[in-house]
């Protein structure tokens, strides 16, 4: 009975199955909508939303299909612009989940296995995280599932012809050619699908290692020609890049209006320094370990259960449908190898295609387990009883995953990136220059707030982008700056120390030039407090930024900023913690100034605010203890010294302060 669940002839989906597939869409969409970020998030989110809203050009490879679809979502008549584009991620994530159900059912003929596998995929930590923010990866998952489903449908039609059923399979192959070309216009890594898809289309039978029977029906000149034509039609959205770039949009990454710039942008040339050669074995081994960690953390405590069923399913699929198994293995391998050699902070999202394929294997593992469990029992009633015991267990698994990953992915109250942007801009005057020398992903929320929400007119110079010629040309013409000649990729994390020092020196000179060329024209601010060599200028602490002032400037800047902070349970990720530290440092600096003027009560209040924001801020605990010491509250000071000691027991200043307090207490006694 169970063997009939897998049928290479792939019977058409019934209305009942369409309903169940739509149900997976509704369930996942409801959860995604409930946990959807209300505004911008970190990373590329702010840039992609800005590019969609203004019809600009985002970072390589440009993602034209995503940008054009995102623009359509900005016309939704409710919610802010960021929320609308975030919603697009939720919609395409839910569609991918629904298509995954149809894929699994076409292969397994098991509603239980397909329903369970698709919803577990929906609630895996990594995929869910991309469904609630503006990012390209759920649309990428949608295209992967769409292409696989079309190919399965094409194979079904081919088998019908083989069985003398009057049908046409060519139109499905033509539809696939267009859909595959279109998928490349969203994410260039879809190129890794090609070998597996080509194998699935061209191979009719694969009996032994080299015993392959080719599918001669598709090797006809007319069919190949039409497929190629439709494939290139699918690539047409890439024409958006040079056309729109020539119109000088507000965000024009790479300026891809020339042939050279277009090719470099499409190929992601500027990221070549982030690829590890396979010859560097130690780095590869470290990445292998981190890959395993990423996949295990994706499933949390249920990793063993999920991977056990997926392994069983992979073996079972190999026995039942070797061609489709090898297709998935080819896709899995190429995506995995690419993720292995690519060094970026958010590399986990590149494993989503792998997680999708593992989910297909899982569906086979479910029916294999049921088959092996029931076939050993002779009594029919007992088989039914066991089946009705197993069904609730498997249906419970998606619920368990949803509960496990809910906290990590609930962004419904996440305003940290938006608040950060407004706090930075509120720290500055209008019509000013901000030199941002952290990772560009931290600057994108600010770009969004300036260009989309029109909060304030500020020119942002992103130091991390200076390795690109187009960006140097852009800001060089705007701010009268000389072009820097680089001998190395400035963002390459594996540069030798000597080359890194040379780059740092050139960047320092560039920052100095920004100041000297623009100091009298606009207020200039730096996001981080890097020292300036120029003797005539210094930094003035102004909220989240540092204003550059001439040393002979006697103007007194009275700066008192109130922060619109929303600090909740969702701010426990590393990037949010680093931003919280920036907020805490403001109150820390205010507290230090208050100590210098002997306003100890005011200092204590500031240090307490810093600790309330970031309880792991050692310096704030130490200075709070010092403030109580200066005020004469020695017993209180000891309490805060103990707190500081737990964070850094080896600090010498802490021990010195403790000895001073003991001396005071001994004198009193």
């Amino acid at each position: 009975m169970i063997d009939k669940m897998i049928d290479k002839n792939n019977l058409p989906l019934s209305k009942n199955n369409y309903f169940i597939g739509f149900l997976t869409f509704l369930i996942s969409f409801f959860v995604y909508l409930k946990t959807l970020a209300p505004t911008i998030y970190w990373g590329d989110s702010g840039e992609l939303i800005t590019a969609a809203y203004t019809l600009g050009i985002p970072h390589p490879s440009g993602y034209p299909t995503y940008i054009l679809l995102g623009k359509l979502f900005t016309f939704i008549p409710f919610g802010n612009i960021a929320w609308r584009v975030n919603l697009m991620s939720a919609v395409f994530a839910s569609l991918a989940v629904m298509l995954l159900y149809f894929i699994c059912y076409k292969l397994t003929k098991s509603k239980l296995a397909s329903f369970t596998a698709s919803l577990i995929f929906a609630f895996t930590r990594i995929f869910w995280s991309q469904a609630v923010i503006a990012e390209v990866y759920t649309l990428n998952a949608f295209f992967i599932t769409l292409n696989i489903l079309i190919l399965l449908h094409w194979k079904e039609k081919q088998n019908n012809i083989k069985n003398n059923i009057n049908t046409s399979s060519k139109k499905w192959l033509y539809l696939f050619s267009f859909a595959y070309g279109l998928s490349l216009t969203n994410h260039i890594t879809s190129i890794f699908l090609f070998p597996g898809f080509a194998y699935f289309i061209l191979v009719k039978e694969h009996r032994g290692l080299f015993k392959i029977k080719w599918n001669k029906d598709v090797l006809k000149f007319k069919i190949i020609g039409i497929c190629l034509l439709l494939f290139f039609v699918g690539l047409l959205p890439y024409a958006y890049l040079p056309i729109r770039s020539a119109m000088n949009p507000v965000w024009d990454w790479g300026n891809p209006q020339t042939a050279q710039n277009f090719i470099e942008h499409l190929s992601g040339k500027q990221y070549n320094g982030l690829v590890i050669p396979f010859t560097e074995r130690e780095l590869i081994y470290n990445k292998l370990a981190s890959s395993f960690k990423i996949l295990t953390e994706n499933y949390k405590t249920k990793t063993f259960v999920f991977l056990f069923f997926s392994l069983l399913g992979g073996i079972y699929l190999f026995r039942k449908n070797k061609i489709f198994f090898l297709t998935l293995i080819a896709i899995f391998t190429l995506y995995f190898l690419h993720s292995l050699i690519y060094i970026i902070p958010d590399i986990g999202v590149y494993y989503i295609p792998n997680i999708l394929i593992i989910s297909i294997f899982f569906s086979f593992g479910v029916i294999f387990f049921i088959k092996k469990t029931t076939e050993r029992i002779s009594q029919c009633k007992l088989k039914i009883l066991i089946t009705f015991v197993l069904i609730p267990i498997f249906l419970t698994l998606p619920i368990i995953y949803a509960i496990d990953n809910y906290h990590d992915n609930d962004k419904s109250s996440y305003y940290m990136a938006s608040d950060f942007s407004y706090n930075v801009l509120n720290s500055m005057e209008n019509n000013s220059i901000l030199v941002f020398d952290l990772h560009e992903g931290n600057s994108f929320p600010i770009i969004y707030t300036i260009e989309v929400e029109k909060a304030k007119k500020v020119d942002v110079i992103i130091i991390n982008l200076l390795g690109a010629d187009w960006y140097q040309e852009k800001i060089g013409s705007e701010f009268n700056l000389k072009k820097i000649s680089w001998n190395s990729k400035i963002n390459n994390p594996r540069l030798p120390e000597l080359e890194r020092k040379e780059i740092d020196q050139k960047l320092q000179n560039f920052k100095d030039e920004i100041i000297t060329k623009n100091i009298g024209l606009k207020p200039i601010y730096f996001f981080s407090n890097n020292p300036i060599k120029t003797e005539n200028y210094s930094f003035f602490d102004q909220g989240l930024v540092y204003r550059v002032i001439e040393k002979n400037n006697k103007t007194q800047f009275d700066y008192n900023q109130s922060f619109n902070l929303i600090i909740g349970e969702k701010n426990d990720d590393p990037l949010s913690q680093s931003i919280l530290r920036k907020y805490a440092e403001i109150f820390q600096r205010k507290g230090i100034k208050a100590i210098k003027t002997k306003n100890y009560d005011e200092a204590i209040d500031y240090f307490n605010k810093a600790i309330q924001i970031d309880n792991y801020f050692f310096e704030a605990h130490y200075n709070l203890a010092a403030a109580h010491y200066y005020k004469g509250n020695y017993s209180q000071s000891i309490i805060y010294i103990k707190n500081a000691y737990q964070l850094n027991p080896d600090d010498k200043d802490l021990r010195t302060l403790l000895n001073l307090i003991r001396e005071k207490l001994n004198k009193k006694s």
Side-chain angles (χ1 to χ4, degrees), residues 71 273 366 444 562 566:
K71 181 63 176 178
V366 171
F444 292 152
S562 59
I566 299 174

Side-chain angles (χ1 to χ4, degrees), residues 247-261:
M247 299 177 184
N248 297 316
V250 295
W251 190 251
D252 187 17
W253 190 307
N255 190 26
Q257 56 183 297
T258 66
Q260 182 179 346
N261 286 0

Side-chain angles (χ1 to χ4, degrees), residues 34 100 176 209 218 230 279 292 314 343 419 434 453 475 492 494 498 504 538 558 656:
K34 192 175 186 310
L100 179 59
F176 162 76
L209 187 61
V218 299
L230 290 171
T279 52
F292 180 75
I343 310 174
D419 287 344
L434 173 63
E453 299 194 353
I475 63 170
N492 186 346
R494 298 177 295 111
L498 192 61
D504 289 343
S538 60
D558 183 19
T656 301

